Amino acid sequence: MVRSLFRSGFLVRFSHTVLTWIVTLILFLHNTDLRRCEERGELLLPALFFLLILLSVLLYFTVSLMDPGFVLTDTVKGGQGSNEEMESMIAQSSTPRLRRCGYCLLQQPMRAKHCQMCKRCVRRFDHHCPWIENCVGERNHRWFFAYLLVQLLVLLWALHIALSGISPGATWELWLRANGFLLGALTMVGVFSWVTLLLLGCHLYLVSINCTTWEFMSRHRISYLKNCEDEENPFDRGVFCNLWDFFCICRTVMWEQVYKKNTSNPV
């Protein structure tokens, strides 16, 4: 039972939620800026901080539990017309043939990959994130980015609040007794701040060039990229268009058509 709970991601999500609220309680109960605002009757900043934490937790569970873009049926299924159109597109261009997954036996769309942890193929696979115990793919990637952004704001604000609560002590022993829990929270928040900042920066860069983490790390093993030049990306449409497509276009993209267009008409 314990093993099945761990596999389902329950322990990861439970641990994340518990740590979040423990750190929040420490920040509210110690003599920090939040506590001093409460004592003065100024509840706006504490309320905003609490709502931002609540938003980060809601985004965490949204990204963690939603379908990242699982491939449910064969790409070419869906009518004779779509089948003939796909075969014609492959035959008339240099587009690599779609491969059939050796695990779930479905035909993979371009940029899809089978995840060993989720045991499913995921469209526009980016990576499997142990933090959310879910894949990051075509459907939840923008939500994952939004979660990282909100989480970073929460962590930086929490870092400032924790520093405001550090009090002096006559001796090291008294200082540690007075600030022990706050120092623990400060250390945890500091580490997670750096990790989240690095993740957010990496994903912003990859989104701006329309590349996934998997493609960036393993392009030499990917059939549709290994024959491209080192700096060539057949899905790159320019920074503005890439960002617009990522944040504003909520639909399934036929990456085979994008690949065909860009490789047939190189700039």
Side-chain angles (χ1 to χ4, degrees):
M1 181 178 179
V2 173
R3 194 173 178 181
S4 64
L5 283 175
F6 184 77
R7 283 183 176 178
S8 68
F10 172 81
L11 288 182
V12 175
R13 297 176 186 118
F14 178 78
S15 299
H16 174 87
T17 307
V18 169
L19 282 175
T20 298
W21 293 117
I22 286 177
V23 172
T24 303
L25 280 175
I26 291 174
L27 296 179
F28 270 96
L29 294 177
H30 275 72
N31 188 29
T32 61
D33 284 347
L34 288 178
R35 183 68 177 271
R36 289 190 282 271
C37 284
E38 291 177 5
E39 291 174 349
R40 293 194 301 266
E42 301 171 359
L43 301 180
L44 180 59
L45 286 180
L48 287 177
F49 182 68
F50 179 82
L51 289 175
L52 195 60
I53 291 175
L54 191 59
L55 177 61
S56 74
V57 173
L58 290 175
L59 282 172
Y60 172 81
F61 279 98
T62 298
V63 175
S64 179
L65 297 175
M66 75 181 295
D67 177 359
F70 293 129
V71 179
L72 303 178
T73 58
D74 276 354
T75 304
V76 296
K77 288 182 180 178
Q80 185 177 357
S82 61
N83 189 3
E84 292 177 352
E85 182 183 353
M86 179 65 72
E87 290 180 354
S88 174
M89 181 188 71
I90 293 174
Q92 296 175 9
S93 69
S94 58
T95 305
R97 286 189 174 275
L98 302 181
R99 65 186 296 271
R100 189 169 292 277
C101 178
Y103 296 96
C104 53
L105 304 180
L106 294 175
Q107 202 159 23
Q108 292 179 333
M110 186 171 282
R111 308 190 83 180
K113 183 183 181 295
H114 185 87
C115 176
Q116 298 286 356
M117 301 296 293
C118 296
K119 303 187 186 303
R120 307 278 291 277
C121 286
V122 180
R123 290 179 179 273
R124 197 183 174 276
F125 176 84
D126 189 88
H127 71 289
H128 182 90
C129 181
W131 191 353
I132 63 174
E133 197 59 34
N134 194 13
C135 281
V136 176
E138 188 171 68
R139 291 193 62 192
N140 68 344
H141 198 170
R142 62 178 58 86
W143 291 104
F144 180 72
F145 189 92
Y147 163 68
L148 289 178
L149 182 60
V150 173
Q151 187 68 50
L152 182 62
L153 292 175
V154 170
L155 289 168
L156 292 178
W157 197 352
L159 197 64
H160 170 75
I161 292 169
L163 287 171
S164 72
I166 300 295
S167 58
T171 64
W172 278 103
E173 184 178 353
L174 292 176
W175 185 79
L176 285 174
R177 283 184 181 180
N179 301 293
F181 286 105
L182 203 57
L183 287 173
L186 185 63
T187 302
M188 188 180 302
V189 169
V191 170
F192 278 108
S193 296
W194 276 110
V195 172
T196 306
L197 181 61
L198 288 173
L199 275 173
L200 188 63
C202 289
H203 279 276
L204 182 60
Y205 169 73
L206 291 174
V207 166
S208 70
I209 63 172
N210 202 344
C211 183
T212 65
T213 302
W214 173 57
E215 290 170 345
F216 186 80
M217 301 295 293
S218 306
R219 65 175 293 137
H220 62 286
R221 296 192 291 112
I222 300 174
S223 60
Y224 56 85
L225 291 178
K226 64 182 180 182
N227 295 324
C228 298
E229 297 180 4
D230 290 341
E231 300 298 326
E232 183 182 358
N233 179 6
F235 309 109
D236 187 3
R237 299 178 58 230
V239 174
F240 178 79
C241 289
N242 291 336
L243 293 175
W244 175 267
D245 291 346
F246 180 81
F247 290 108
C248 303
I249 306 299
C250 302
R251 58 179 171 79
T252 299
V253 179
M254 290 291 294
W255 293 109
E256 295 83 2
Q257 295 179 1
V258 177
Y259 184 95
K260 175 189 174 184
K261 179 180 178 182
N262 291 346
T263 53
S264 301
N265 303 293
V267 178

